[in-house]
Amino acid sequence: MAINFQDKCRELGISPSITRKKIYEFLDECKTHPTADEIYRKLVVSLPTLSKTTVYNVLSLFLEKGLVEIINTEATEKRYEISNHPHSHFHCKECHQLFDVPKISIMYNKDKMPGFQVSKEEIYLIGICPSCSKKI
Amino acid sequence: MAINFQDKCRELGISPSITRKKIYEFLDECKTHPTADEIYRKLVVSLPTLSKTTVYNVLSLFLEKGLVEIINTEATEKRYEISNHPHSHFHCKECHQLFDVPKISIMYNKDKMPGFQVSKEEIYLIGICPSCSKKI
DNA sequence: GTCCTTGCAAAGCGTTTGCACAGAA
DNA sequence: TTCTGTGCAAACGCTTTGCAAGGAC
């Protein structure tokens, strides 16, 4: 983990409980943009009393504090990621995995969008990932 | 409607029933990227026997045939739009409306994404829309 | 007759809420 | 004591499925 979780919590005024730490660490290490259920299933092994409610509680706290973000997807379930590194997303049509790819810069003409104040840009690419390319 | 719905259906090998026609027309006219429920509530006025199941059936047929697309959002409910005109999306943080904005072109270095074959690009801007800008 | 469209009812699934218990301050 | 973190159980909302009735051909 790049920045100490305890320090982040202190900054944000929340307590660094073991549950929160494990959820944060898992999100930080995990490359698969997990759903709440995936986080739960992974962590319940080492935290046997963990409940899904707690996962939801912690994720909603993290969202509020800006520690994590929800990724826009077509699906109804929500996927989460740590909001610390700028990047774009690539969705594979074959295996439906969601990959991180280097941040893509965009260019737009502000004159064509009068009055719209842009504070964030998200780029989502769709196609075939390297390993699926080989299979086809 | 730019292209005749009957003709599109003939091309795709599906029958242009009145229900399908109305759903297609509403999606085509509607600028708000409606959910299935919004489509239902709007159309049940003129089609009193309409059920939500039918709305879902028709949307899923349209998706399969490529007539409509699902828009990636943070929310759990799905939003639909006719897939005929290239454009990007703008989400207002204040009023949570989803706007169409002119298609934004992107530039990316393919060398940084070895093996990834991109077939589609989606750009999603977040910020404050013109009318909310005035209110603040 | 068959095939397709429609729609009621129920199930499914991810998420949120109500509430209570336990531990920390 | 109060406040906070946790978690069971139930409710909730959107979507999907099973199945049957009605219509087109």
Short mmCIF file of all heavy atoms in Angstrom, two decimals, chain A residues 11-47:
data_model
loop_
_atom_site.label_atom_id
_atom_site.label_comp_id
_atom_site.label_asym_id
_atom_site.label_seq_id
_atom_site.Cartn_x
_atom_site.Cartn_y
_atom_site.Cartn_z
N GLU A 11 -6.55 11.39 8.81
CA GLU A 11 -6.90 12.54 7.97
C GLU A 11 -8.41 12.71 7.81
O GLU A 11 -8.93 13.81 7.86
CB GLU A 11 -6.35 12.34 6.55
CG GLU A 11 -4.95 12.85 6.30
CD GLU A 11 -4.52 12.47 4.88
OE1 GLU A 11 -5.33 12.60 3.95
OE2 GLU A 11 -3.37 12.02 4.71
N LEU A 12 -9.06 11.57 7.58
CA LEU A 12 -10.49 11.62 7.27
C LEU A 12 -11.36 11.58 8.51
O LEU A 12 -12.59 11.71 8.42
CB LEU A 12 -10.85 10.44 6.36
CG LEU A 12 -10.14 10.40 5.01
CD1 LEU A 12 -10.38 9.07 4.32
CD2 LEU A 12 -10.63 11.55 4.12
N GLY A 13 -10.73 11.40 9.66
CA GLY A 13 -11.50 11.38 10.90
C GLY A 13 -12.32 10.13 11.13
O GLY A 13 -13.38 10.16 11.73
N ILE A 14 -11.84 9.00 10.60
CA ILE A 14 -12.53 7.74 10.86
C ILE A 14 -11.56 6.77 11.51
O ILE A 14 -10.34 6.90 11.36
CB ILE A 14 -13.13 7.10 9.57
CG1 ILE A 14 -12.01 6.76 8.57
CG2 ILE A 14 -14.15 8.03 8.94
CD1 ILE A 14 -12.51 6.04 7.34
N SER A 15 -12.09 5.81 12.23
CA SER A 15 -11.20 4.90 12.95
C SER A 15 -10.77 3.75 12.05
O SER A 15 -11.57 3.21 11.29
CB SER A 15 -11.88 4.39 14.21
OG SER A 15 -12.61 3.23 13.93
N PRO A 16 -9.50 3.37 12.12
CA PRO A 16 -8.97 2.33 11.24
C PRO A 16 -9.20 0.94 11.81
O PRO A 16 -8.26 0.28 12.22
CB PRO A 16 -7.48 2.67 11.19
CG PRO A 16 -7.21 3.31 12.51
CD PRO A 16 -8.46 3.95 12.98
N SER A 17 -10.43 0.52 11.81
CA SER A 17 -10.73 -0.81 12.36
C SER A 17 -10.13 -1.89 11.47
O SER A 17 -9.82 -1.65 10.30
CB SER A 17 -12.24 -1.01 12.47
OG SER A 17 -12.79 -1.25 11.20
N ILE A 18 -10.01 -3.07 12.04
CA ILE A 18 -9.41 -4.17 11.28
C ILE A 18 -10.24 -4.51 10.04
O ILE A 18 -9.70 -4.76 8.96
CB ILE A 18 -9.19 -5.42 12.19
CG1 ILE A 18 -8.51 -6.56 11.44
CG2 ILE A 18 -10.51 -5.91 12.78
CD1 ILE A 18 -7.07 -6.27 11.05
N THR A 19 -11.56 -4.46 10.19
CA THR A 19 -12.44 -4.75 9.05
C THR A 19 -12.21 -3.75 7.93
O THR A 19 -12.05 -4.12 6.76
CB THR A 19 -13.91 -4.68 9.50
OG1 THR A 19 -14.06 -5.43 10.70
CG2 THR A 19 -14.82 -5.23 8.43
N ARG A 20 -12.17 -2.49 8.28
CA ARG A 20 -11.96 -1.44 7.28
C ARG A 20 -10.59 -1.58 6.63
O ARG A 20 -10.46 -1.42 5.41
CB ARG A 20 -12.09 -0.06 7.95
CG ARG A 20 -13.50 0.26 8.33
CD ARG A 20 -13.60 1.53 9.14
NE ARG A 20 -14.97 1.75 9.56
CZ ARG A 20 -15.35 2.72 10.40
NH1 ARG A 20 -14.44 3.55 10.90
NH2 ARG A 20 -16.61 2.85 10.73
N LYS A 21 -9.61 -1.90 7.45
CA LYS A 21 -8.26 -2.06 6.91
C LYS A 21 -8.22 -3.19 5.89
O LYS A 21 -7.66 -3.03 4.80
CB LYS A 21 -7.29 -2.34 8.07
CG LYS A 21 -5.82 -2.33 7.68
CD LYS A 21 -4.94 -2.13 8.91
CE LYS A 21 -3.47 -1.99 8.55
NZ LYS A 21 -2.80 -3.29 8.32
N LYS A 22 -8.83 -4.31 6.24
CA LYS A 22 -8.80 -5.46 5.32
C LYS A 22 -9.54 -5.17 4.03
O LYS A 22 -9.11 -5.60 2.95
CB LYS A 22 -9.42 -6.69 6.02
CG LYS A 22 -8.56 -7.22 7.16
CD LYS A 22 -8.28 -8.69 6.97
CE LYS A 22 -7.45 -9.24 8.12
NZ LYS A 22 -6.98 -10.61 7.85
N ILE A 23 -10.66 -4.48 4.14
CA ILE A 23 -11.41 -4.15 2.92
C ILE A 23 -10.60 -3.20 2.05
O ILE A 23 -10.50 -3.38 0.84
CB ILE A 23 -12.79 -3.55 3.28
CG1 ILE A 23 -13.69 -4.64 3.89
CG2 ILE A 23 -13.46 -2.94 2.05
CD1 ILE A 23 -15.04 -4.14 4.39
N TYR A 24 -9.97 -2.22 2.70
CA TYR A 24 -9.15 -1.27 1.94
C TYR A 24 -7.98 -1.97 1.27
O TYR A 24 -7.71 -1.77 0.09
CB TYR A 24 -8.64 -0.15 2.86
CG TYR A 24 -7.92 0.93 2.10
CD1 TYR A 24 -8.62 2.00 1.56
CD2 TYR A 24 -6.55 0.86 1.89
CE1 TYR A 24 -7.98 2.99 0.84
CE2 TYR A 24 -5.89 1.84 1.16
CZ TYR A 24 -6.60 2.91 0.64
OH TYR A 24 -5.96 3.87 -0.08
N GLU A 25 -7.31 -2.82 2.04
CA GLU A 25 -6.15 -3.53 1.49
C GLU A 25 -6.54 -4.44 0.33
O GLU A 25 -5.84 -4.50 -0.67
CB GLU A 25 -5.47 -4.36 2.59
CG GLU A 25 -4.61 -3.53 3.52
CD GLU A 25 -4.03 -4.33 4.67
OE1 GLU A 25 -4.32 -5.55 4.76
OE2 GLU A 25 -3.31 -3.74 5.49
N PHE A 26 -7.67 -5.11 0.50
CA PHE A 26 -8.10 -6.00 -0.58
C PHE A 26 -8.39 -5.20 -1.85
O PHE A 26 -7.96 -5.56 -2.95
CB PHE A 26 -9.33 -6.81 -0.17
CG PHE A 26 -9.85 -7.71 -1.25
CD1 PHE A 26 -9.02 -8.67 -1.82
CD2 PHE A 26 -11.14 -7.58 -1.72
CE1 PHE A 26 -9.47 -9.51 -2.83
CE2 PHE A 26 -11.61 -8.41 -2.73
CZ PHE A 26 -10.77 -9.36 -3.28
N LEU A 27 -9.08 -4.09 -1.70
CA LEU A 27 -9.37 -3.24 -2.86
C LEU A 27 -8.08 -2.72 -3.48
O LEU A 27 -7.98 -2.57 -4.70
CB LEU A 27 -10.24 -2.06 -2.44
CG LEU A 27 -11.74 -2.33 -2.38
CD1 LEU A 27 -12.46 -1.25 -1.61
CD2 LEU A 27 -12.31 -2.44 -3.78
N ASP A 28 -7.11 -2.44 -2.64
CA ASP A 28 -5.86 -1.88 -3.13
C ASP A 28 -5.02 -2.92 -3.89
O ASP A 28 -4.39 -2.59 -4.89
CB ASP A 28 -5.06 -1.33 -1.94
CG ASP A 28 -4.00 -0.33 -2.38
OD1 ASP A 28 -4.31 0.49 -3.27
OD2 ASP A 28 -2.88 -0.39 -1.86
N GLU A 29 -5.07 -4.15 -3.41
CA GLU A 29 -4.27 -5.20 -4.06
C GLU A 29 -4.98 -5.81 -5.26
O GLU A 29 -4.36 -6.22 -6.22
CB GLU A 29 -4.00 -6.34 -3.05
CG GLU A 29 -3.06 -5.93 -1.92
CD GLU A 29 -3.29 -6.79 -0.68
OE1 GLU A 29 -3.95 -7.84 -0.79
OE2 GLU A 29 -2.81 -6.40 0.40
N CYS A 30 -6.29 -5.85 -5.14
CA CYS A 30 -7.11 -6.56 -6.11
C CYS A 30 -7.17 -5.79 -7.42
O CYS A 30 -7.42 -4.60 -7.45
CB CYS A 30 -8.50 -6.69 -5.52
SG CYS A 30 -9.67 -7.47 -6.58
N LYS A 31 -6.94 -6.48 -8.51
CA LYS A 31 -6.97 -5.83 -9.82
C LYS A 31 -8.30 -6.03 -10.53
O LYS A 31 -8.46 -5.60 -11.66
CB LYS A 31 -5.85 -6.40 -10.70
CG LYS A 31 -4.47 -6.38 -10.08
CD LYS A 31 -3.96 -4.97 -9.93
CE LYS A 31 -2.56 -4.95 -9.33
NZ LYS A 31 -2.27 -3.65 -8.69
N THR A 32 -9.23 -6.68 -9.89
CA THR A 32 -10.44 -7.10 -10.61
C THR A 32 -11.66 -6.24 -10.35
O THR A 32 -12.76 -6.60 -10.74
CB THR A 32 -10.78 -8.56 -10.25
OG1 THR A 32 -11.06 -8.62 -8.85
CG2 THR A 32 -9.65 -9.49 -10.59
N HIS A 33 -11.50 -5.09 -9.67
CA HIS A 33 -12.63 -4.20 -9.44
C HIS A 33 -13.80 -4.97 -8.86
O HIS A 33 -14.85 -5.09 -9.50
CB HIS A 33 -13.05 -3.51 -10.74
CG HIS A 33 -11.89 -3.00 -11.53
ND1 HIS A 33 -11.19 -3.80 -12.40
CD2 HIS A 33 -11.29 -1.80 -11.56
CE1 HIS A 33 -10.23 -3.08 -12.93
NE2 HIS A 33 -10.25 -1.87 -12.44
N PRO A 34 -13.65 -5.47 -7.66
CA PRO A 34 -14.62 -6.43 -7.12
C PRO A 34 -15.98 -5.82 -6.78
O PRO A 34 -16.10 -4.61 -6.57
CB PRO A 34 -13.93 -6.92 -5.85
CG PRO A 34 -13.05 -5.81 -5.43
CD PRO A 34 -12.57 -5.19 -6.70
N THR A 35 -16.96 -6.67 -6.75
CA THR A 35 -18.29 -6.31 -6.25
C THR A 35 -18.27 -6.48 -4.73
O THR A 35 -17.34 -7.08 -4.17
CB THR A 35 -19.36 -7.24 -6.82
OG1 THR A 35 -19.09 -8.58 -6.36
CG2 THR A 35 -19.35 -7.24 -8.33
N ALA A 36 -19.31 -5.99 -4.06
CA ALA A 36 -19.42 -6.14 -2.61
C ALA A 36 -19.39 -7.63 -2.25
O ALA A 36 -18.76 -8.03 -1.27
CB ALA A 36 -20.70 -5.48 -2.10
N ASP A 37 -20.06 -8.43 -3.03
CA ASP A 37 -20.11 -9.85 -2.76
C ASP A 37 -18.75 -10.52 -2.89
O ASP A 37 -18.40 -11.39 -2.09
CB ASP A 37 -21.12 -10.52 -3.72
CG ASP A 37 -21.36 -11.97 -3.37
OD1 ASP A 37 -21.87 -12.22 -2.27
OD2 ASP A 37 -21.01 -12.85 -4.19
N GLU A 38 -17.98 -10.10 -3.89
CA GLU A 38 -16.64 -10.66 -4.07
C GLU A 38 -15.74 -10.28 -2.89
O GLU A 38 -14.94 -11.10 -2.43
CB GLU A 38 -16.04 -10.19 -5.39
CG GLU A 38 -16.63 -10.92 -6.60
CD GLU A 38 -16.36 -10.22 -7.93
OE1 GLU A 38 -15.67 -9.18 -7.94
OE2 GLU A 38 -16.87 -10.71 -8.95
N ILE A 39 -15.86 -9.05 -2.42
CA ILE A 39 -15.09 -8.62 -1.25
C ILE A 39 -15.48 -9.47 -0.05
O ILE A 39 -14.62 -9.97 0.68
CB ILE A 39 -15.35 -7.12 -0.96
CG1 ILE A 39 -14.87 -6.25 -2.13
CG2 ILE A 39 -14.67 -6.70 0.35
CD1 ILE A 39 -15.31 -4.80 -2.03
N TYR A 40 -16.78 -9.64 0.13
CA TYR A 40 -17.27 -10.43 1.27
C TYR A 40 -16.74 -11.87 1.21
O TYR A 40 -16.19 -12.37 2.19
CB TYR A 40 -18.80 -10.44 1.27
CG TYR A 40 -19.38 -11.44 2.22
CD1 TYR A 40 -19.38 -11.21 3.60
CD2 TYR A 40 -19.90 -12.66 1.76
CE1 TYR A 40 -19.89 -12.14 4.48
CE2 TYR A 40 -20.40 -13.59 2.64
CZ TYR A 40 -20.39 -13.32 4.00
OH TYR A 40 -20.88 -14.26 4.87
N ARG A 41 -16.88 -12.52 0.06
CA ARG A 41 -16.48 -13.92 -0.06
C ARG A 41 -14.98 -14.10 0.17
O ARG A 41 -14.53 -15.11 0.72
CB ARG A 41 -16.89 -14.50 -1.41
CG ARG A 41 -18.40 -14.67 -1.54
CD ARG A 41 -18.77 -15.82 -2.47
NE ARG A 41 -18.04 -15.73 -3.73
CZ ARG A 41 -18.45 -15.06 -4.80
NH1 ARG A 41 -19.59 -14.42 -4.76
NH2 ARG A 41 -17.73 -15.03 -5.89
N LYS A 42 -14.20 -13.11 -0.27
CA LYS A 42 -12.76 -13.18 -0.08
C LYS A 42 -12.38 -13.00 1.40
O LYS A 42 -11.54 -13.73 1.94
CB LYS A 42 -12.09 -12.10 -0.92
CG LYS A 42 -10.61 -11.92 -0.72
CD LYS A 42 -9.81 -13.07 -1.31
CE LYS A 42 -8.34 -12.91 -0.98
NZ LYS A 42 -7.52 -13.94 -1.60
N LEU A 43 -12.98 -12.03 2.05
CA LEU A 43 -12.54 -11.66 3.40
C LEU A 43 -13.17 -12.48 4.51
O LEU A 43 -12.62 -12.54 5.62
CB LEU A 43 -12.80 -10.17 3.65
CG LEU A 43 -12.00 -9.19 2.79
CD1 LEU A 43 -12.27 -7.78 3.22
CD2 LEU A 43 -10.50 -9.50 2.84
N VAL A 44 -14.30 -13.11 4.22
CA VAL A 44 -14.97 -13.87 5.27
C VAL A 44 -14.10 -15.07 5.71
O VAL A 44 -14.26 -15.58 6.82
CB VAL A 44 -16.38 -14.35 4.81
CG1 VAL A 44 -16.28 -15.52 3.87
CG2 VAL A 44 -17.26 -14.67 6.01
N VAL A 45 -13.16 -15.44 4.86
CA VAL A 45 -12.24 -16.53 5.20
C VAL A 45 -11.39 -16.15 6.42
O VAL A 45 -11.24 -16.93 7.36
CB VAL A 45 -11.33 -16.85 3.99
CG1 VAL A 45 -10.32 -17.93 4.35
CG2 VAL A 45 -12.15 -17.27 2.79
N SER A 46 -10.85 -14.94 6.40
CA SER A 46 -10.00 -14.51 7.51
C SER A 46 -10.77 -13.75 8.59
O SER A 46 -10.27 -13.55 9.69
CB SER A 46 -8.84 -13.65 6.99
OG SER A 46 -9.33 -12.58 6.22
N LEU A 47 -11.98 -13.30 8.26
CA LEU A 47 -12.83 -12.61 9.24
C LEU A 47 -14.16 -13.36 9.28
O LEU A 47 -15.14 -12.91 8.69
CB LEU A 47 -13.08 -11.16 8.82
CG LEU A 47 -11.91 -10.19 8.73
CD1 LEU A 47 -12.34 -8.88 8.07
CD2 LEU A 47 -11.33 -9.90 10.10
#
